[in-house]
Amino acid sequence: MNKKKKILFVLLLPILLFSIDTKIDSLQQKMEHTEESVQKIELLIELSIEFTDVDTSKSFEFGNQAIELSNKLGTFKAEAYGNLGYINYLMGNDEISLKQLLNALTMIESENSKVRARLLKIIGFVYIHSHEYDRSLEYLDKSLNIFLELGLKPDISKVYYAIGNTYRHKEMFNESLEYYNKSLQIDKALNDTLEIAGTLYTIGSHYHVLAEYGKALETYFYCLKMYEKLDNRIGIADSYNAIGTVFQSIEDNDIALEYYNKHLEIQKETNNKLGISIAYNNIAIIYNDYKDYDKALEYYFIALKNDKELNNQEGIATIYNNLGIVYFKLKDYDKSLKYYQQSLSISKELHDGWAIANTSNNLADLYFDLNQYKKSFLYVDKAFEYAQNVDLKEIELESFLIYSKLYTKTNRYKKAFENYKHYTELKDTLFTTSIKKVAKIQRDLVEEKKEKENKLLRKDNRIKSLQLEKQKNLRYSLLIIIILVFFFLFVIFKRYHDNKKENILTIKKNKLITLQKEQLDNAMKDLEKLNINLEKKVDEIKIGRKRLKMLNKIIRHDLSNDFAVIKSAVNIFKDNSDKTMLNEIQKRVDRSIKTIVDYRNYESFIDSNADLDEIEVFEVASNFPIHFPMIKFSIEGKCKVFADDALGSVFSNLISNSIKHGKASQIDIDISSERNICTIKFIDNGSGISDEVKDKIFDEGFFYGKTGHTGIGLHIVKETIEHYGGSIFVLDNEPKGVIFVISLRKVIKK
């Protein structure tokens, strides 16, 4: 069942027409000491804008005073009238706002003035708000041309962003992203961190809607860093929420819940009702996935109450949809239908195409359970048509699954199989690639966090070391003082002979203390070495567990997809005796066996964390001609390197790739060394690797062509070689084939 998640879009508010970021009391003090002039009109305009969120009557009062003064002075009229239009736009009075802004335009003589450009821009904003998107683009383009001619980069960036918003409302997401990125490039050039963060957030939300989860997560984390740099609590909270929605989309609910709770904590601190509502809604979705339906309903109704108080129609529609999901799972179909229909009605009023399609899929699923297949087809057709028109893979994925179930129930098994196959292939494309990219981002974050912790630990150790040194010096000083005092007492009370004896005793004591100190120092060194080794072993176990988790996740995903297709093919064969299904079953069984065999070869990679040994490359390479008798081998040269048992798996993987993917019949292994580097070249006469994929073959999850499988083998080869402190790259062989070049640290005997 598809779940609509409430994602906060950081929509950049229109830049104030004539405002500066000052406090109301400061502006009022300035105005009291300013004579009637253009400067006073500007202050009145600024005050009217500042009061829009505080006292609307005051806002209009100052706006009208600005108009009266501009009429009296006979100047600054366009600015004053335009400001009143802008205030009405902020208040939601679109019709009045448009009349006032168009009237202000007639007061400007110059065709290319900054004031004209800004008025055109705000008219564009009004048309966005009233859903007249083509008119909006018309005015925003006029505004953009003037700003480009004047070279006003901040204003150009804002118009690019507004055009992006317009295309987003038109659900033309590729065009929208293009303009958001144009805005982002200008903000980066201006080093405007706040604008960069806001635009990044919006771009991330687009990637999320398009189901490009890896890109979305990468963008949101970049955005989070910007807001942390600014110490912007609201921005940090919104980033936490967005990151949580991505993890929820890839079904990593534990991490999603962690980020949602961080988001809720900040929203409660700032008493942001809208933010609190969003947090409760998203946390409720998690509880729904956990099948804790009572908890989910409790959180949904809290969020719904807040949204109704705020008259947040989009939020209300979202929660109605999500309540429908809960009651659907509880088999309370009447309540589920009621909430779905309420959600659909509001989404249509808001012209929210994504929400309409999402709820339509949910209604199709509901009518399927009610055995009303005609209605189910009607709603899924609407959702699927929308998904294909705007290329929304998440909606399309759910539609394929519903079609598969409907065709099965209506005894159209071939179509059921085709749609289920589309579903598994699309899910594989969306989730496998995204999960692997997300996993890489998570690893990078863990490494970054670990490095920070290590820096703090090293700093703490240095401080402790200095403190211990200081304490040690103090103890030695006190000891010397005691000995001196003792010595002088004996000089007074004893004769020279007794004094001499005491000196001998003192020397013996000093030697004993020195010996004990040396023993203590040696014991401390041994303890430190033991601690370092223990920490190293712990780190090795953690790395091994991470790698094992990654391999398990991929094999589970690959095998489950194959088994699902086999199951569908068996059902079709039982009903239709379609022998083509036997070929499909055989192909999927072979692929599953191949998956298991491949992952057996990666077992050594999991444990490849221990201290490296001295390995003779020639001895490792010499084992392979026996295992591949059909291939002609040539092995030349010797060199000893730092590696471990996984080196054999690396060589086996490269040779298998040359045979399987390159169809090679001959492989030459050339071993050479220079100074402290050993170079191993695997040279084959196969079909080679095209330039378009050569830079991607070592990426996790990449595979190419009909012989490609999970795409993990060469990625593991690269990680293993880098673990040894080496590197690997690929070259073309002449006249055909490829050369894999490995560089490793050479063992140098002293």
Side-chain angles (χ1 to χ4, degrees):
M1 175 68 69
N2 196 12
K3 298 173 283 296
K4 178 173 179 181
K5 301 166 187 67
K6 189 185 249 182
I7 302 171
L8 279 176
F9 290 94
V10 179
L11 297 179
L12 199 64
L13 291 176
I15 296 302
L16 300 184
L17 187 57
F18 309 104
S19 70
I20 58 174
D21 188 18
T22 55
K23 293 181 180 179
I24 290 175
D25 54 350
S26 173
L27 287 170
Q28 288 178 319
Q29 287 177 5
K30 285 183 181 179
M31 191 182 66
E32 289 173 2
H33 298 88
T34 303
E35 296 180 356
E36 292 186 345
S37 62
V38 169
Q39 185 183 2
K40 188 161 188 175
I41 297 174
E42 290 177 332
L43 289 171
L44 288 166
I45 289 172
E46 290 175 35
L47 276 167
S48 67
I49 294 171
E50 290 290 340
F51 270 107
T52 53
D53 291 328
V54 181
D55 186 338
T56 55
S57 62
K58 281 278 187 183
S59 179
F60 283 113
E61 179 184 333
F62 285 116
N64 286 318
Q65 286 180 22
I67 290 174
E68 290 173 8
L69 186 56
S70 68
N71 287 332
K72 182 177 180 180
L73 298 176
T75 185
F76 228 64
K77 289 184 178 181
E79 289 87 338
Y81 279 94
N83 172 66
L84 202 60
Y86 177 70
I87 293 171
N88 273 300
Y89 159 68
L90 293 179
M91 300 298 178
N93 304 323
D94 292 344
E95 189 176 344
I96 298 171
S97 170
L98 199 56
K99 287 180 181 178
Q100 291 171 334
L101 290 166
L102 291 171
N103 181 42
L105 269 182
T106 63
M107 302 176 184
I108 303 171
E109 296 179 1
S110 173
E111 289 294 321
N112 293 320
S113 72
K114 182 163 61 175
V115 176
R116 173 178 285 276
R118 289 182 174 173
L119 287 170
L120 289 168
K121 178 179 66 176
I122 296 172
I123 292 170
F125 293 154
V126 177
Y127 279 123
I128 292 174
H129 196 254
S130 57
H131 309 297
E132 296 183 57
Y133 303 124
D134 291 334
R135 295 299 302 274
S136 171
L137 287 173
E138 176 189 341
Y139 279 92
L140 289 172
D141 282 338
K142 289 178 182 178
S143 172
L144 179 62
N145 289 332
I146 297 174
F147 283 134
L148 286 170
E149 187 174 333
L150 296 173
L152 298 174
K153 289 187 177 181
D155 290 293
I156 294 168
S157 171
K158 303 306 175 293
V159 177
Y160 277 146
Y161 189 95
I163 293 173
N165 281 345
T166 307
Y167 280 120
R168 180 180 65 82
H169 286 295
K170 285 169 69 72
E171 294 170 347
M172 299 170 67
F173 295 111
N174 291 328
E175 290 82 355
S176 179
L177 275 173
E178 177 187 347
Y179 279 95
Y180 285 140
N181 278 311
K182 285 183 179 181
S183 174
L184 181 63
Q185 294 309 312
I186 295 176
D187 293 337
K188 285 181 176 179
L190 296 171
N191 198 27
D192 190 335
T193 307
L194 183 60
E195 296 296 338
I196 291 170
T199 307
L200 282 169
Y201 194 111
T202 304
I203 291 171
S205 70
H206 271 58
Y207 283 134
H208 194 173
V209 169
L210 295 172
E212 296 188 43
Y213 302 122
K215 287 183 179 179
L217 196 60
E218 195 172 5
T219 308
Y220 283 143
F221 273 117
Y222 186 10
C223 169
L224 177 60
K225 284 186 179 179
M226 295 293 103
Y227 280 127
E228 286 176 340
K229 184 178 179 181
L230 294 167
D231 194 25
N232 185 318
R233 298 290 288 166
I234 295 299
I236 292 169
D238 289 344
S239 300
Y240 284 151
N241 180 64
I243 292 166
T245 61
V246 177
F247 279 113
Q248 188 173 348
S249 293
I250 61 172
E251 300 175 2
D252 200 337
N253 288 331
D254 291 341
I255 296 179
L257 186 59
E258 178 185 335
Y259 280 100
Y260 286 156
N261 281 321
K262 288 182 179 179
H263 169 239
L264 178 60
E265 184 180 345
I266 296 176
Q267 298 296 6
K268 284 182 175 179
E269 286 176 11
T270 55
N271 197 27
N272 183 350
K273 269 198 170 184
L274 179 60
I276 292 170
S277 174
I278 290 166
Y280 276 122
N281 175 73
N282 290 344
I283 292 171
I285 295 173
I286 299 291
Y287 284 120
N288 184 27
D289 289 344
Y290 287 158
K291 298 183 180 179
D292 188 347
Y293 301 124
D294 290 338
K295 199 77 172 175
L297 288 172
E298 177 188 343
Y299 276 75
Y300 278 139
F301 282 119
I302 293 172
L304 183 62
K305 181 183 177 184
N306 281 349
D307 280 335
K308 284 183 175 180
E309 289 175 0
L310 296 167
N311 194 28
N312 178 17
Q313 292 299 306
E314 183 183 0
I316 294 169
T318 299
I319 296 167
Y320 280 155
N321 176 76
N322 295 344
L323 284 168
I325 293 169
V326 178
Y327 285 115
F328 174 84
K329 290 183 177 180
L330 292 171
K331 305 297 183 183
D332 190 341
Y333 296 125
D334 290 338
K335 282 188 178 179
S336 178
L337 181 61
K338 182 187 77 172
Y339 282 116
Y340 281 151
Q341 288 175 338
Q342 287 177 325
S343 173
L344 190 61
S345 174
I346 297 172
S347 297
K348 286 178 179 178
E349 291 176 8
L350 297 173
H351 304 281
D352 189 341
W354 189 95
I356 293 168
N358 180 66
T359 306
S360 295
N361 262 340
N362 293 341
L363 280 163
D365 230 355
L366 173 64
Y367 282 119
F368 175 84
D369 269 28
L370 294 172
N371 299 323
Q372 297 182 34
Y373 304 132
K374 189 174 181 180
K375 285 187 177 181
S376 183
F377 269 117
L378 179 67
Y379 280 105
V380 74
D381 285 342
K382 289 179 182 178
F384 187 69
E385 181 184 1
Y386 173 79
Q388 288 202 315
N389 287 340
V390 297
D391 194 28
L392 289 179
K393 300 299 182 188
E394 223 176 14
I395 300 291
E396 197 174 336
L397 181 72
E398 291 297 323
S399 297
F400 278 136
L401 184 59
I402 295 168
Y403 275 131
S404 175
K405 294 192 297 184
L406 282 168
Y407 285 127
T408 301
K409 282 291 184 181
T410 54
N411 300 321
R412 287 176 278 182
Y413 296 109
K414 192 162 187 177
K415 281 200 169 187
F417 174 73
E418 289 171 358
N419 277 276
Y420 193 78
K421 191 174 180 181
H422 288 320
Y423 168 76
T424 58
E425 288 172 352
L426 181 57
K427 187 175 182 181
D428 185 68
T429 300
L430 293 178
F431 288 88
T432 302
T433 304
S434 297
I435 286 169
K436 290 174 183 176
K437 188 163 185 179
V438 168
K440 182 179 182 303
I441 293 170
Q442 286 181 280
R443 289 198 304 274
D444 292 342
L445 288 170
V446 169
E447 289 299 321
E448 183 180 343
K449 183 180 179 182
K450 184 177 177 182
E451 180 58 29
K452 288 180 180 177
E453 288 174 350
N454 286 340
K455 284 182 179 178
L456 289 171
L457 185 60
R458 286 194 294 272
K459 184 178 179 181
D460 188 49
N461 286 339
R462 283 198 298 270
I463 293 170
K464 287 180 178 178
S465 178
L466 289 171
Q467 289 175 339
L468 287 172
E469 187 67 28
K470 186 176 179 181
Q471 290 174 0
K472 187 167 67 175
N473 291 336
L474 182 60
R475 286 197 299 271
Y476 283 139
S477 299
L478 288 172
L479 182 60
I480 291 169
I481 291 170
I482 291 168
I483 291 170
L484 287 173
V485 169
F486 188 79
F487 175 76
F488 284 115
L489 286 172
F490 270 81
V491 167
I492 295 170
F493 294 106
K494 296 289 183 180
R495 294 180 178 181
Y496 174 76
H497 180 72
D498 293 336
N499 192 13
K500 187 176 180 181
K501 277 174 108 179
E502 193 58 43
N503 283 339
I504 293 170
L505 183 61
T506 302
I507 291 168
K508 287 180 179 179
K509 285 183 179 180
N510 283 338
K511 285 182 179 180
L512 180 61
I513 290 169
T514 303
L515 179 62
Q516 290 175 340
K517 177 184 172 297
E518 289 175 356
Q519 291 173 343
L520 182 61
D521 288 343
N522 290 334
M524 288 297 292
K525 287 177 183 177
D526 291 339
L527 187 60
E528 287 175 359
K529 287 179 182 178
L530 184 62
N531 189 42
I532 290 168
N533 289 334
L534 182 60
E535 289 178 348
K536 188 175 181 182
K537 290 295 180 184
V538 171
D539 289 341
E540 289 169 2
I541 291 169
K542 286 181 179 177
I543 293 169
R545 287 180 66 185
K546 284 183 184 175
R547 292 176 175 175
L548 180 61
K549 186 177 180 181
M550 177 187 73
L551 293 177
N552 284 340
K553 182 180 282 188
I554 294 170
I555 192 170
R556 283 200 307 271
H557 183 272
D558 289 346
L559 291 178
S560 65
N561 276 352
D562 289 337
F563 292 159
V565 174
I566 289 168
K567 184 178 179 182
S568 294
V570 168
N571 289 334
I572 291 173
F573 181 78
K574 284 180 179 178
D575 293 323
N576 300 338
S577 299
D578 186 350
K579 291 186 178 181
T580 60
M581 293 299 102
L582 294 177
N583 294 331
E584 182 68 24
I585 292 168
Q586 182 63 48
K587 183 172 70 175
R588 291 293 178 159
V589 169
D590 290 343
R591 173 171 164 166
S592 299
I593 293 170
K594 179 66 174 59
T595 298
I596 294 167
V597 172
D598 284 349
Y599 279 92
R600 194 177 296 156
N601 294 333
Y602 299 142
E603 288 175 357
S604 59
F605 164 69
I606 295 171
D607 297 322
S608 179
N609 294 306
D611 292 336
L612 302 181
D613 299 321
E614 297 179 6
I615 304 291
E616 174 56 62
V617 178
F618 180 82
E619 292 177 3
V620 178
S622 297
N623 293 324
F624 292 102
I626 301 170
H627 300 299
F628 300 94
M630 302 300 293
I631 304 303
K632 184 179 179 182
F633 280 92
S634 168
I635 306 172
E636 294 184 4
K638 287 189 174 184
C639 186
K640 191 171 284 190
V641 298
F642 291 105
D644 58 24
D645 292 342
L647 185 63
S649 295
V650 169
F651 288 2
S652 176
N653 194 292
L654 294 177
I655 293 168
S656 296
N657 274 333
S658 292
I659 297 168
K660 187 192 307 176
H661 305 305
K663 310 301 180 187
S665 61
Q666 178 174 341
I667 299 174
D668 298 332
I669 303 175
D670 181 69
I671 306 165
S672 61
S673 64
E674 183 176 350
R675 294 184 181 177
N676 60 343
I677 297 297
C678 178
T679 302
I680 307 116
K681 296 181 181 177
F682 285 78
I683 308 164
D684 70 38
N685 64 344
S687 58
I689 300 172
S690 64
D691 291 336
E692 65 187 63
V693 301
K694 202 171 288 176
D695 293 336
K696 304 175 183 176
I697 61 173
F698 295 110
D699 291 350
E700 183 182 335
F702 178 78
F703 61 86
Y704 181 72
K706 293 182 179 178
T707 59
H709 196 42
T710 59
I712 192 171
L714 287 177
H715 175 70
I716 288 178
V717 166
K718 181 173 181 288
E719 282 211 352
T720 305
I721 292 299
E722 289 177 351
H723 171 65
Y724 297 156
S727 63
I728 182 170
F729 60 91
V730 63
L731 300 171
D732 289 327
N733 188 24
E734 296 295 341
K736 66 175 185 174
V738 295
I739 304 172
F740 281 95
V741 183
I742 299 174
S743 298
L744 293 173
R745 293 182 294 141
K746 177 182 174 183
V747 177
I748 300 174
K749 296 294 184 182
K750 296 184 180 178

